[in-house]
Amino acid sequence: MSVILKMKRPSPWQRNTRRKGYLVPFALVGVISLIAGTAIGVMPDISFLHKNSSDTGELNGLAYVVDGDTIRLAGEKIRLNGIDAPESGQTCLDGHTEAYACGTEAEDYLKNLVGSQMLRCEGKDKDKYDRLIATCYLQDRDINAEMVRSGWAVAYRQYSMEYMPDEEKAKSARLGLWQGNFRMPWAWRQDQRQASAEHINCNIKGNISANGRIYHLPGSRDYSATRVNENRGERWFCTELEALAAGWRSPRYD
């Protein structure tokens, strides 16, 4: 005698409950995936903020200006290739033979030029100070060239002649440094090294000549050639105000 077992068919309510039981986990997975996808979509592209591609020698990012020819970008200190700007402490003479802080002016110009825009810098070589030597761009605009073209830097001709045409244009238009007289930045640095080696703290030279009592600032044209002979009444000054108060004047030319 065979026995046939009859399975009781689930009621419609049970069938719906089972379907819902299977659907709940899938629904949860779908919701979690949707949230994760949305979160990924709104996250900032961090690689866009600072990209360092050592293979191509290209850096991208926001720049911090150190001085008129040096910036920091994407963890690198960068020396702008082919140009030289006055140093932070350098002074120059304007068109009225008045001294001004040309190093600060050059730095401010570069800060205004770069602003908060993204830079692209290209270069692989480094100098003896471990700075990357690079040409930097605002989109396709060469900011190295712009610094020379504006007159706030000169072509660093010891290493490159690339920006000489830009320098000639700035010089002809008497822009930036060319509005008056100045010491080439590399020569000014040499003056400072010499003064430091001689342990001179007050490095303004008070000279007496047929033209009268004239003081020469570090960075002026005749600074290196001027020798202070204290036996003749010549002397060193620490500030321009001190020199002026003592009866010395600034040179009419550099």
Side-chain angles (χ1 to χ4, degrees):
M1 178 177 179
S2 60
V3 178
I4 300 175
L5 299 177
K6 293 184 178 180
M7 301 294 294
K8 186 178 181 180
R9 296 183 64 185
S11 67
W13 180 86
Q14 290 174 321
R15 286 198 297 271
N16 289 339
T17 302
R18 288 177 183 175
R19 289 194 191 101
K20 290 178 182 179
Y22 287 120
L23 288 175
V24 167
F26 289 106
L28 287 174
V29 170
V31 170
I32 293 171
S33 300
L34 178 61
I35 293 172
T38 303
I40 292 171
V42 299
M43 285 177 65
D45 184 356
I46 295 176
S47 64
F48 174 71
L49 298 179
H50 286 301
K51 179 182 176 185
N52 186 337
S53 176
S54 57
D55 294 336
T56 61
E58 180 178 307
L59 297 174
N60 294 270
L62 301 175
Y64 169 78
V65 173
V66 178
D67 58 30
D69 53 33
T70 311
I71 64 172
R72 288 186 184 276
L73 188 149
E76 286 274 6
K77 194 170 185 179
I78 297 174
R79 179 68 158 77
L80 299 182
N81 182 49
I83 75 171
D84 201 7
E87 299 298 321
S88 297
Q90 185 171 346
T91 55
C92 304
L93 298 176
D94 64 17
H96 304 287
T97 68
E98 294 294 330
Y100 71 101
C102 52
T104 301
E105 292 284 345
E107 178 182 336
D108 289 344
Y109 188 89
L110 183 56
K111 285 180 178 177
N112 290 330
L113 177 63
V114 171
S116 58
Q117 303 177 77
M118 298 291 292
L119 279 187
R120 183 181 86 257
C121 295
E122 298 175 356
K124 292 185 177 181
D125 297 328
K126 290 195 173 184
D127 65 10
K128 62 181 180 181
Y129 303 108
D130 199 38
R131 297 176 300 187
L132 182 68
I133 305 298
T135 302
C136 296
Y137 301 89
L138 284 170
Q139 296 182 352
D140 294 326
R141 187 182 181 189
D142 182 344
I143 68 168
N144 302 36
E146 179 60 30
M147 286 300 294
V148 178
R149 197 177 296 126
S150 66
W152 290 115
V154 294
Y156 208 170
R157 51 196 63 126
Q158 289 94 322
Y159 300 98
S160 173
M161 302 294 286
E162 180 178 356
Y163 298 114
M164 283 299 296
D166 297 295
E167 179 180 303
E168 290 300 324
K169 291 177 182 177
K171 185 176 181 180
S172 297
R174 300 186 68 80
L175 299 177
L177 300 170
W178 302 103
Q179 65 184 283
N181 296 292
F182 65 96
R183 187 84 164 145
M184 285 295 186
W186 54 83
W188 187 88
R189 289 192 294 270
Q190 179 60 40
D191 291 340
Q192 297 305 298
R193 285 191 290 268
Q194 179 184 341
S196 177
E198 295 173 358
H199 304 289
I200 298 169
N201 295 320
C202 299
N203 57 6
I204 298 175
K205 297 179 178 180
N207 178 247
I208 300 175
S209 67
N211 294 321
R213 296 172 180 259
I214 301 173
Y215 65 84
H216 299 275
L217 297 169
S220 62
R221 189 184 70 173
D222 295 323
Y223 185 84
S224 293
T226 300
R227 296 291 178 266
V228 175
N229 185 344
E230 295 181 353
N231 293 328
R232 296 180 59 243
E234 297 175 336
R235 54 180 291 194
W236 295 90
F237 296 102
C238 299
T239 66
E240 283 189 84
L241 289 177
E242 182 186 356
L244 291 167
W248 267 257
R249 65 171 177 81
S250 64
R252 292 194 177 92
Y253 57 88
D254 186 359

